[in-house]
Amino acid sequence: MKNKTTGQVWEQRLLPFLMETLGGFLVAVAIDGFAVNAAFPMTGFSGIALIFNRLLGMPIGITIVLLNVPLAFLCYKMLGKGFFLRSIRCMIISSFFIDYLCPMLPSYHGSRLLAALCTGVISGVGYALIYMQNSSTGGADFVVMALKVVRPHLSLGKIAFLTDFVIVMTGGILFKDVDGVIYGMIVNFIFAAVIDKVMYGANSGKLALIVTEHGELISKTIDDVCKRGCTLLKAAGGYRGDEKQVVMCACSDKQMYGVQQAVKAADPSSFMVVLESNEVHGEGFRNIHIGD
């Protein structure tokens, strides 16, 4: 059996671990640096842990771990052993940051609105980095990932928003803080939007539909410019019925400018339509996998 190369070890083990660690650190910064002092309901099991922290003074990180234990085993079979072990590792890392490292860092004591905005953005980026490594911080993340497996057409941001809504409302009712509920919903909305933007934005791009009489030339030109494959579709003009070809090409935002210029130079009479693609999967684009 061949040994893994250094590049494979970096890509398959070290890089995902570093991304999980960075994601856990950002989540901890959002909680300790902004959410705790602002005293508004937080999303996920972090929100439940904050409730216990305010009511009983329990450490947030340890509470998250205790809440995770029963749910983790319930979701074990659905999400697989690999996902389970990665999530446990990430949960321990983030809980350590929450209880021991980030409390030593400076925290924000200003406007609750600004704290809500920062919490939503920072925690959203943190969770997105973790999700992109096919991992989680456990807790409500297990529920989110399990629902994603059952309802794959829903985005992770939308599922997170729905599951966290109940937690935010519960915290607001317990502490009779209407303003806190509003700020908590702001956090929840931004959190969900950032997750979707970071995760699925990495797979976004543009789709070019080029109507031309020189399909092979256009296809070769695009391949020379950005090494992207094309699909040739047969078409006919709507007025005179002349035979045409439609060259379909998906590429990144940066590559599209070069494609436009090259196609215009190769066939000035061509007609191009450029569309936004929210997600592009396949060779050359990052695929997001959920589960083991």
Side-chain angles (χ1 to χ4, degrees):
M1 186 175 180
K2 294 182 179 180
N3 294 327
K4 291 185 177 180
T5 64
T6 303
Q8 289 176 323
V9 172
W10 166 257
E11 184 176 346
Q12 297 176 12
R13 295 182 180 276
L14 295 180
L15 182 60
F17 176 74
L18 290 176
M19 290 296 101
E20 288 177 4
T21 302
L22 176 59
F25 175 73
L26 292 176
V27 170
V29 168
I31 293 173
D32 284 320
F34 297 94
V36 172
N37 293 323
F40 47 66
M42 184 65 178
T43 58
F45 269 30
S46 301
I48 299 176
L50 281 172
I51 292 175
F52 280 104
N53 177 261
R54 291 180 65 183
L55 290 176
L56 305 174
M58 295 176 62
I60 298 172
I62 293 176
T63 304
I64 292 174
V65 173
L66 294 177
L67 291 171
N68 267 291
V69 173
L71 187 60
F73 286 101
L74 287 175
C75 297
Y76 175 84
K77 290 185 177 180
M78 179 175 290
L79 297 174
K81 179 181 178 181
F83 182 86
F84 173 79
L85 294 177
R86 287 190 297 272
S87 297
I88 294 299
R89 178 182 66 190
C90 196
M91 177 184 65
I92 293 173
I93 291 172
S94 60
S95 296
F96 172 79
F97 285 150
I98 291 171
D99 277 352
Y100 298 104
L101 178 61
C102 288
M104 296 186 293
L105 301 178
S107 57
Y108 181 73
H109 295 272
S111 166
R112 293 183 85 187
L113 177 59
L114 292 178
L117 296 175
C118 291
T119 301
V121 173
I122 296 173
S123 63
V125 173
Y127 278 109
L129 290 176
I130 292 169
Y131 292 161
M132 290 172 72
Q133 310 312 313
N134 195 18
S135 183
S136 75
T137 58
D141 290 352
F142 282 132
V143 178
V144 170
M145 293 300 186
L147 288 174
K148 178 65 176 176
V149 172
V150 177
R151 295 287 186 270
H153 61 283
L154 295 176
S155 70
L156 286 172
K158 290 178 180 177
I159 298 174
F161 181 86
L162 294 174
T163 56
D164 291 338
F165 176 81
V166 177
I167 298 174
V168 172
M169 292 300 296
T170 301
I173 292 171
L174 284 176
F175 299 110
K176 298 178 180 180
D177 184 4
V178 177
D179 287 346
V181 172
I182 296 174
Y183 290 124
M185 293 308 299
I186 292 174
V187 172
N188 196 11
F189 178 81
I190 296 175
F191 169 78
V194 170
I195 286 179
D196 280 349
K197 188 65 177 177
V198 173
M199 290 191 66
Y200 302 111
N203 275 10
S204 65
K206 292 188 183 294
L207 176 67
L209 298 175
I210 307 158
V211 181
T212 178
E213 296 179 355
H214 309 285
E216 292 184 4
L217 172 62
I218 297 299
S219 179
K220 184 180 184 305
T221 299
I222 293 175
D223 181 63
D224 291 340
V225 171
C226 61
K227 304 301 180 184
R228 288 290 181 189
C230 299
T231 300
L232 300 181
L233 308 174
K234 292 183 178 180
Y239 181 64
R240 289 182 292 189
D242 298 338
E243 288 189 3
K244 302 280 186 180
Q245 288 179 308
V246 177
V247 181
M248 183 174 68
C249 176
C251 60
S252 68
D253 294 342
K254 293 180 180 179
Q255 292 171 330
M256 183 52 68
Y257 177 78
V259 168
Q260 289 174 310
Q261 300 303 310
V263 169
K264 184 178 179 181
D267 183 8
S269 63
S270 63
F271 177 77
M272 178 186 293
V273 178
V274 179
L275 305 173
E276 293 287 343
S277 299
N278 292 330
E279 291 186 54
V280 182
H281 298 278
E283 185 177 356
F285 291 89
R286 180 187 179 91
N287 291 327
I288 298 173
H289 174 70
I290 301 300
D292 199 2

